[in-house]
Structure formats: structure tokens, C-alpha cells
Amino acid sequence: MPIVEVAISVPLNRTFDYQCDGEVAVGSRVMVPFVRKKVVGIVLSVKDKSEFDKLKSVEEILDESPILDKPVLDFLFWAAKYYHHPIGEVLLAALPKNLRLGKEAKIKKVAGLPTKTSQPDFDITQEQSLAINEILAKQNNYHGFLLHGVTGSGKTEVYLRITQEALNQDKQVLVLVPEIGLTPQMISRFERRLKTRVVAIHSQLNETQKLDAYLMAKNGEAGVILGTRSAIFAPMPKLGMIIIDEEHDSSFKQQSSFRYSARDLSFIRAKQANIPLILGTATPSLETLKNTMDGKLTRLTLANRAGGVVMPKVSLIDMRSNTGDALSKMLIEKMQQYLSQGKQVMLFINRRGYAPVYFCTECGWKAECNHCNASMIYHRHINRLKCHHCGDEKMPEQTCPDCNEQSLEVYGYGTERLEETLSSHFSDTPIIRIDRDTTRRKKALQQHLEKINSGEPCIIVGTQMLAKGHDFSNLAMVGILDIDGGFLSTNFRATEYLAQLLIQVSGRAGRSGEQGEVVIQTRYPDHPMFNYVLSNRYTQFASGLLKQRMSAMMPPFAHQALLCANAKNKQNAEDFLREVASLLKSIEMNTVEIWGPTAGIIEKKADYYYFNLYLQSNDRSALHQMLATFNQHIDSIKLKNKVRWYLDVDPID
Ligand code: ADP
Ligand code: ZN
Ligand code: ZN
């Protein structure tokens, strides 16, 4: 009987052989017995001999034709090797959940073709035209581009036009967007413009919809696949172009189990398919700027906002003399001014809940999570203290557990408290709060956005969710509160991220018509970063950061990998990494530096203690050689009771 080699989603660096009496193609799913269970696996090869005897048999062949075609399999193999992640987990993670569970690969509801499309009523600018022509000149081969356009410069318009060209050639286009950037507005812009099926792949869809979208990408019926990071793995037989919007966004990096970067992988996918890759952003990551310097990406610039709109005016309010109020007098006055003109105002504060601190004014006691090294956040509407790391919650104490005084108070602001404060200052103005708490219900976000898009004067209070992608035409002013934590962070990328965030949030202001205004409240008005942000000189700021990274030999000039271990017993986690460190040191590769183990930034999360071991090298291949050796030996390091660990190649935090 023929034998098939099958990949199964288990954390082991190996595949499994089974007997199989039917015909099955490589890349198809099979149901196989595995440790008293039945699991879905992917056939990797068909052969007539196995080095193992007493093979079990395939129970069911699930696909008549491969679910993963050769190009996608090759791509996934590359990814598994690069991230040193077990192939079975990588292959299965690339499938939508219903396929992973063994359900039939059949489309339930075919998306309709658009009945009416409309073209814009403006001409493209010269900058846009240049960018489009340069990209199209290279459309039949691999070529990487950085489309560096300020916020509102018409990058999306460029995407639409090059996509239309690819569609004219009967090709498919993959557009990747950040998790929170895939707005209904973005989807409808593509749908309204292009005479093709546009399928969206994102977390708001149910599993049936996700499967349908995946299968329409796979059979070529969908011309445009608009998705968040996992869409990079979708099979697209006619793939002709990849566009990554907001390439700097950290949500392209998966931060659990298979820790890949969809942005980084897009280079490989585009090379394997021999097609152009376009990375678009107003605030390129330092990795992308370095790639541009090294000639791996061609830079295309849109230096001006489209339609004659000017960039917003940005100014600072010094909060050093402020006593703890969220809103300075000056900010309130400015808001009043815009609202009285019938405009909308947005306040950005990156913290949900009512207040981040619940403490005792007598003795300084502070409500902390029992399971994490973190403060509990007070949520007023439910009168609960919640931990944003592990989800634990409890009733707030009425008297201080330490000194027994009735002296407990909140300190600081989250979106909920800000909304309350605003309604006392602006009792006649509608306030729309957008954060994870107010958008949990399906369609809630869409309803909030529709209200904003109606254009009526209002105050929008929001977190990160509002930072990018949105195009609110009547939004004249943006106030940015409480970003100072970014200056105190220990992450070496913190200032890069902060500058990107400020520019993206600012970019929401004044996108049509008159000049918008941005006001940033800070206790660090002298920080050099503001010089650049105020005058919209991101590139110069980023060049300065790049020089610092180069002289310190930090990424993107060096390559890193992180080994993280965690356990309920602190000592076990640390000891495990010590053993790993001595194993790695015994490999004697002196071009790779090994740092640690050190405790995680939040040492305890959900009762587990976290420790990190960092590997760094200027020589990527040396680093990867070491990781491969590590992978071969990891099983021999006795897994101390219940130590969990993961490897993160090119970590970002
Ligand atoms: P970005 O993606 O760079 O933020 P968008 O593509 O969303 O910018 O464009 C911002 C606004 O400008 C949109 O409302 C868009 O319709 C409009 N726009 C784009 N290109 C032009 C143009 N050439 N002339 C006039 N308006 C334009
Ligand atoms: Zn007390
Ligand atoms: Zn917790």
C-alpha cells in the first residue's frame, strides 16, 4: 500500500507517515489517527517506503485536489524554515478554521460582482501619476517599492489604479492592511471602484464567510483580496501584485504561536511569484528605510496632500504645571472654537477604561492584579477593577486593605473618564467614544463610524483604533493626550513607534478643505522628537534614529531572535533559559551574541513568570545556523516541569 508523509499541527519538528489506499495529491488534507484522536493533516509526499514500521492508516481523504497548491506550499516551507517553526503548525495555521477542522472546502455563498462602479471626479496629481507609471513599468517582474506618501496624499488612489491595471491583465491583487485599518470605508472604496469581486479577510467575519473568501481567492474568482496579516498565506493562482498598506504597523507581526511578519514575508511571496511589491506608508519603519537605502526598495514619494489640502498645523501644550486634569484650558478653548464652527474634534487617548490607578491617598496602596505585575484598571459603568493583561476582575475595595481608611480614589484618565469630563464641559455636543469596550458588539463600530461620517459636529474620543486609515471629512482638530509613557518605555523602538503614532493620528485632521489643527499635550515639550513631528519632517527624524541604531549595532543593522520561557515556578523558567544559554554558547559561534536570561518587562502575567534570552548577530545566516542547531537539541534539554517556551525571530518588542 502507498505511504503518505503527513504534516500535523503539533509542536514537533517532524512529519508522520501513514498508509493510504486511495489516491491523494500532495497539498491535500487527510484525516488521520494521532494519539487516540483524529486530526487533520496535510499530505507532503507520497512514497512507497517508510523508515518506520507498523504504520497506521489514513482514515479519510478530505480533498480531491490540493487545498495548498505548490506555490503556497513552497512559500510556507520557506516561512517555517525562516522562523524555525514546526512545519505542521505553519501549514495548518495558514488555513481558515473550518478547513483546519476538516470541513468541506465548498463555497456557501458566492460574492456578487459589483453592479455599478464609479470613477473619481478628479485627475490624479503628477506625483501620483509618476508613482503609478514606475510601478506599472515593472509589473511583470519582482520589484519592491516604498510608496512614501504623507497622510492624505492619495496613496489609496494609487493602489486603486495599479490594481485596476493588474485586473485588466486578468491578475489577482493582494492588499494587506493593519488589523484596525481595515475599515468598512476602505473595503467600499475598492468595491465601488473595481469591476471585480473584492473579498475581505478579517476577524469580524464569521467562519463561513472566511472560508468563502479563502476559496474564492483560491479558485481565482476574487480579483482583489483585502485582508489582515494572515491573508499573506491565501492561495491566489493568478497573483499579480502585493500591496502592504501602512507597512510600519506592528499588527503585521503575529504575536502568538507562529510569530511571523506578514510584511517581511511579503518580500518572499512577491519574489517567488515574480511580481511587484508595494509598501505604502506616511511613516516608513526603520527596516523599510534601510531596505530603501540598500536599494532593495525603490522609493516613490507623494510629498503633498491630494486635492490642494495642506498638512495640519501641529502645536504642543506644556502640561508640566498641570495638576492632574486631563484637559488643559487651552485645549478646551480650541475645541470650543472648532465645534462652534460646526466642525468635528477628535481626542486621542490610548487607554480604555475609566482610570488606570485605584489607590489609597493615606498610605499609597494601589490595586494590583493578583495574577500579574500590573495595576488594575477601574471601569466605572460596571464598577469593577479589571486587569487588561489577564482579564481578571473584581469589585473595588471600599476601604484600604492596608490601612483600613476610607480613602480610596482613582487617578489618571481612560476613555471612559474622558468622555465623562467632556460631557461636563460640552453638554450640548454629542460625544462618540470608540474603544474596545464600546465596539465589542457586532456592527457597533460601523454605527459609530456612520455617525461620524454624517458630518454633524461632535467630539470623538478614541484609542489606537482611530489612529489610522480613517478619512473623516469634517474632522478639523485632533487633540492628543497622555502619550508621555512612550518616552519612558524600555523598548528601544519606543520613540520610532511614538513618532509614527503621532503623525498617523495627526493625519486624521483636516483631510478636506481648510487646514486642520493638531494639539499635543505633553510633560516633555523639549523632547527633540517634537521638533520633527511639529514640522512634519518624519524622514529626517527617522534618519537620525537609523544613525543611532547603526552606531549601537541594533536592528535593522543587526538581527535578533528572542527565546522566551515562562512557568508558574519562577526558578524553572530562569533555569531553563540558563541551560539553553549554555547550550548555545557551546555551539561556539562568536559572531552571535547571547544576552540574558533577564526577566520580562512584565515579569508575571496570568500567574506565569516570563524570562527572555536574546540572540543577536550582524550575520543573519550565523544567527539562523545557531537557531537550527538549537532546534535539533531542544528535545534533549529536559523540559523542566511545565516550562513553556517560544522562539521569536525578528522580535519587535
Ligand atoms: P492616503 O491613502 O494617502 O491617506 P487617500 O487616498 O485616502 O490618501 O486620499 C485622501 C483624499 O484625497 C481622499 O478623499 C481621496 O479621494 C482624495 N484624493 C486622492 N487623490 C486625489 C487627487 N488626485 N485629487 C483630488 N483628490 C484626491
Ligand atoms: Zn491605605
Ligand atoms: Zn492580571
PDB file of all heavy atoms in Angstrom, residues 25 118 141 144 165 174 214 541 583 615 620:
ATOM      1  N   ALA A  25      -3.393  13.728  -3.560  1.00  0.00           N
ATOM      2  CA  ALA A  25      -2.389  14.636  -4.116  1.00  0.00           C
ATOM      3  C   ALA A  25      -1.657  15.370  -2.999  1.00  0.00           C
ATOM      4  O   ALA A  25      -2.233  15.624  -1.933  1.00  0.00           O
ATOM      5  CB  ALA A  25      -3.076  15.644  -5.035  1.00  0.00           C
ATOM      6  N   SER A 118     -17.962  53.383  -9.936  1.00  0.00           N
ATOM      7  CA  SER A 118     -17.854  54.776 -10.365  1.00  0.00           C
ATOM      8  C   SER A 118     -16.405  55.237 -10.285  1.00  0.00           C
ATOM      9  O   SER A 118     -15.636  54.773  -9.439  1.00  0.00           O
ATOM     10  CB  SER A 118     -18.752  55.658  -9.510  1.00  0.00           C
ATOM     11  OG  SER A 118     -18.319  55.588  -8.173  1.00  0.00           O
ATOM     12  N   ASN A 141       7.504  41.654 -13.255  1.00  0.00           N
ATOM     13  CA  ASN A 141       8.629  41.034 -12.568  1.00  0.00           C
ATOM     14  C   ASN A 141       8.627  41.415 -11.101  1.00  0.00           C
ATOM     15  O   ASN A 141       7.941  42.342 -10.713  1.00  0.00           O
ATOM     16  CB  ASN A 141       9.946  41.502 -13.185  1.00  0.00           C
ATOM     17  CG  ASN A 141      10.123  40.950 -14.584  1.00  0.00           C
ATOM     18  OD1 ASN A 141       9.928  41.670 -15.551  1.00  0.00           O
ATOM     19  ND2 ASN A 141      10.425  39.668 -14.681  1.00  0.00           N
ATOM     20  N   GLY A 144      10.520  45.701  -5.680  1.00  0.00           N
ATOM     21  CA  GLY A 144       9.969  46.250  -4.444  1.00  0.00           C
ATOM     22  C   GLY A 144       9.909  47.764  -4.480  1.00  0.00           C
ATOM     23  O   GLY A 144      10.859  48.418  -4.918  1.00  0.00           O
ATOM     24  N   GLU A 165      -5.113  48.078 -13.241  1.00  0.00           N
ATOM     25  CA  GLU A 165      -4.244  47.617 -14.331  1.00  0.00           C
ATOM     26  C   GLU A 165      -3.985  46.119 -14.226  1.00  0.00           C
ATOM     27  O   GLU A 165      -4.038  45.400 -15.217  1.00  0.00           O
ATOM     28  CB  GLU A 165      -2.916  48.374 -14.317  1.00  0.00           C
ATOM     29  CG  GLU A 165      -2.970  49.721 -14.996  1.00  0.00           C
ATOM     30  CD  GLU A 165      -3.466  49.622 -16.446  1.00  0.00           C
ATOM     31  OE1 GLU A 165      -3.009  48.716 -17.172  1.00  0.00           O
ATOM     32  OE2 GLU A 165      -4.328  50.443 -16.821  1.00  0.00           O
ATOM     33  N   LEU A 174      -3.341  41.217  -4.002  1.00  0.00           N
ATOM     34  CA  LEU A 174      -3.466  41.054  -2.553  1.00  0.00           C
ATOM     35  C   LEU A 174      -3.159  42.388  -1.890  1.00  0.00           C
ATOM     36  O   LEU A 174      -2.095  42.969  -2.132  1.00  0.00           O
ATOM     37  CB  LEU A 174      -2.480  39.985  -2.069  1.00  0.00           C
ATOM     38  CG  LEU A 174      -2.350  39.829  -0.551  1.00  0.00           C
ATOM     39  CD1 LEU A 174      -3.646  39.324   0.075  1.00  0.00           C
ATOM     40  CD2 LEU A 174      -1.196  38.890  -0.200  1.00  0.00           C
ATOM     41  N   TYR A 214     -11.649  32.723   1.337  1.00  0.00           N
ATOM     42  CA  TYR A 214     -10.433  31.959   1.071  1.00  0.00           C
ATOM     43  C   TYR A 214     -10.577  31.151  -0.220  1.00  0.00           C
ATOM     44  O   TYR A 214      -9.689  31.141  -1.083  1.00  0.00           O
ATOM     45  CB  TYR A 214     -10.178  31.035   2.262  1.00  0.00           C
ATOM     46  CG  TYR A 214      -8.905  30.222   2.192  1.00  0.00           C
ATOM     47  CD1 TYR A 214      -7.711  30.734   2.682  1.00  0.00           C
ATOM     48  CD2 TYR A 214      -8.911  28.932   1.657  1.00  0.00           C
ATOM     49  CE1 TYR A 214      -6.551  29.986   2.641  1.00  0.00           C
ATOM     50  CE2 TYR A 214      -7.746  28.177   1.612  1.00  0.00           C
ATOM     51  CZ  TYR A 214      -6.577  28.705   2.110  1.00  0.00           C
ATOM     52  OH  TYR A 214      -5.428  27.962   2.066  1.00  0.00           O
ATOM     53  N   PHE A 541      13.798  62.733  11.011  1.00  0.00           N
ATOM     54  CA  PHE A 541      13.797  62.142  12.338  1.00  0.00           C
ATOM     55  C   PHE A 541      14.219  60.675  12.259  1.00  0.00           C
ATOM     56  O   PHE A 541      15.099  60.211  12.988  1.00  0.00           O
ATOM     57  CB  PHE A 541      12.407  62.266  12.962  1.00  0.00           C
ATOM     58  CG  PHE A 541      12.311  61.602  14.303  1.00  0.00           C
ATOM     59  CD1 PHE A 541      13.056  62.065  15.375  1.00  0.00           C
ATOM     60  CD2 PHE A 541      11.482  60.500  14.495  1.00  0.00           C
ATOM     61  CE1 PHE A 541      12.983  61.451  16.609  1.00  0.00           C
ATOM     62  CE2 PHE A 541      11.404  59.884  15.729  1.00  0.00           C
ATOM     63  CZ  PHE A 541      12.153  60.355  16.789  1.00  0.00           C
ATOM     64  N   LEU A 583      23.883  25.796  26.312  1.00  0.00           N
ATOM     65  CA  LEU A 583      23.890  25.001  25.077  1.00  0.00           C
ATOM     66  C   LEU A 583      24.321  25.876  23.899  1.00  0.00           C
ATOM     67  O   LEU A 583      25.204  25.509  23.116  1.00  0.00           O
ATOM     68  CB  LEU A 583      22.506  24.411  24.798  1.00  0.00           C
ATOM     69  CG  LEU A 583      22.343  23.831  23.392  1.00  0.00           C
ATOM     70  CD1 LEU A 583      22.876  22.407  23.328  1.00  0.00           C
ATOM     71  CD2 LEU A 583      20.903  23.863  22.900  1.00  0.00           C
ATOM     72  N   LEU A 615      19.272  36.707  21.320  1.00  0.00           N
ATOM     73  CA  LEU A 615      20.400  36.369  20.454  1.00  0.00           C
ATOM     74  C   LEU A 615      20.515  37.485  19.435  1.00  0.00           C
ATOM     75  O   LEU A 615      19.498  37.922  18.883  1.00  0.00           O
ATOM     76  CB  LEU A 615      20.127  35.063  19.700  1.00  0.00           C
ATOM     77  CG  LEU A 615      20.368  33.732  20.409  1.00  0.00           C
ATOM     78  CD1 LEU A 615      19.446  33.585  21.595  1.00  0.00           C
ATOM     79  CD2 LEU A 615      20.128  32.596  19.441  1.00  0.00           C
ATOM     80  N   ARG A 620      23.145  37.396   9.520  1.00  0.00           N
ATOM     81  CA  ARG A 620      21.868  36.710   9.649  1.00  0.00           C
ATOM     82  C   ARG A 620      22.029  35.195   9.531  1.00  0.00           C
ATOM     83  O   ARG A 620      21.410  34.432  10.257  1.00  0.00           O
ATOM     84  CB  ARG A 620      20.870  37.215   8.603  1.00  0.00           C
ATOM     85  CG  ARG A 620      19.426  36.904   8.986  1.00  0.00           C
ATOM     86  CD  ARG A 620      18.471  37.003   7.822  1.00  0.00           C
ATOM     87  NE  ARG A 620      18.182  38.356   7.370  1.00  0.00           N
ATOM     88  CZ  ARG A 620      17.149  39.093   7.806  1.00  0.00           C
ATOM     89  NH1 ARG A 620      16.356  38.632   8.726  1.00  0.00           N
ATOM     90  NH2 ARG A 620      16.936  40.280   7.302  1.00  0.00           N
TER      91      ARG A 620
END
